[in-house]
Amino acid sequence: MENELKPMDSEQLRENAHKMVDFIADYYKSIENFPVLSQVHPGYLRELLPDSAPNHPESLQDVLDDVRQKILPGVTHWQSPDYFAYFPSNSSTAGFLGEMLSAGINIVGFSWVTSPAATELEVIVLDWLAKLLKLPDHFLSSGQGGGVIQGTASEAVLVVLLAARDRVLRRVGKDFLGKLLVYASDQAHAALQKACQIAGIHPGNFRLLKTDSSTNYALDPDLVCQAVSDDLAAGLIPFFLCATVGTTSSTAVDPLSSLGKIAKDNDMWFHIDAAYAGSACICPEYRHYINGVEGADSFNMNAHKWFLTNFDCSALWVKDRSALIQSLSTNPEYLKNKASQANAVVDYKDWQIPLGRRFRSLKLWMVMRLYGLENLQSYIRNHIKLAEQFEELVAADPRFEVIVPRTFSLVCFRLLPTVHDQDNGHKLNSSLLEAVNSSGKIFISHTISIKKGWDIPIWKICQVLSGKFVLRFAVGAPLTEERHVSSAWEVLQKHATTLLGGS
Ligand SMILES: *Cc1c(COP(=O)(O)O)cnc(C)c1O
């Protein structure tokens, strides 16, 4: 057939890609019309699609019709201006163009030689981003360290945990794996727990130290000191300390300087997870949240969260790249080449879990070039201002309370329990969450605040009927404006009124 789609033909690509761009641009134009949280039931798609792939080619038009009718109803619209759940996962025109170019060139850049530009651009843009964040020089490629793009913060913490594990095992001997200890606050992301599972850290050797409202859920360095000295006295080997800047539940900021000192005094690897909040630190007025980063062995920030870079793009910097490389490098015959053997180049396959890797630096490069620092800063500032406004609205309604003081663009709040409330407002707030999310008008998420004396990590207690059931309102979608925030508040108020039974 004449018009049949060939595997690759530049004119067909031009024609069809134009249609696809139109489709996507129209999607953004009408994005506010969709329910933010998808309202489909589990298994909905199997009822709509055939059991097997077609024998004969179908037309792009037919596929796009299916996308419109069958796929989009099952999409939760993360880019909607009414999306306030979890943390944002930004897209942008620049990020999209970079993604498009990366898909278009479609290289696999595991070694320098497989596409020198992919490696070299990644080195350069991570230096650029490190400078925007005013990271210490040892994280730059000119020293012993450097940056690498990982898929996610989860992979970032895993690779540095492996590097740290192997570094300490080289010192103490590999029979001591069972004695190695990891420390973090009970607010640390579950990605760290998963990394420990993969790295073979004994489950009992993963210390999650308690936090509570007295420090706004930040890790208390005295607790770390105490735990480390108790563990040393018991003949165990502390080797990894993870701090978070902007925890997932409530954007708590751990005290980096004192934690870094503890890590240094005890020869531990010090990792900083700033997956969400790292982006804010490009603004001078928020940079102090990462004061103390000088003491870290590694630092991670998700450009795909709040830095206008389409998913996935997680920036990781390490102080000592050789530690990573010693853990993760392989050198099979079929990948040998002159540049690598002369040690003249970076081979990013040795800085990550997989071999293959995409040309993701194009996205970050486009974002930094097409927006520039000034626009990126005002983007962040605007979201924080909108969150401030939301916080004021909540504070002004006596039926609600703000739970912890806001730090970045996340507001934690809840509807106050009534006098007859048996469960401290748990059911009330979970009903409010359910009601607003199933209205389709906005999408928010929740967490549980930890009570003093609790001994369970945050991700295990989501169904526990004590503490406070906290609603999270995270501003950060690229299209969100003041009017979206004020109508989100109206939606919340309206459903609160209904739940409270009246007026
Ligand atoms: C989002 C988040 C993560 C996990 O991010 P992924 O990139 O999805 O792995 C880890 N830590 C913090 C603090 C986060 O906010």
Side-chain angles (χ1 to χ4, degrees), residues 87 151-155 189 191 244-248 273-276 302 304-305 311 314:
F87 279 138
T152 57
S154 310
E155 289 159 81
H189 196 276
T244 310
V245 174
T247 58
T248 312
D273 174 359
Y276 151 77
N302 279 352
H304 62 238
K305 273 190 170 148
F311 190 80
S314 180

Side-chain angles (χ1 to χ4, degrees), residues 179 207 228-237:
K179 290 194 183 292
R207 299 269 186 272
V228 168
S229 64
D230 291 352
D231 287 329
L232 283 170
L236 298 165
I237 309 169

Side-chain angles (χ1 to χ4, degrees), residues 36-47:
V36 190
L37 175 67
S38 169
Q39 308 285 322
V40 299
H41 60 268
Y44 90 101
L45 194 55
R46 197 164 274 294
E47 296 162 13

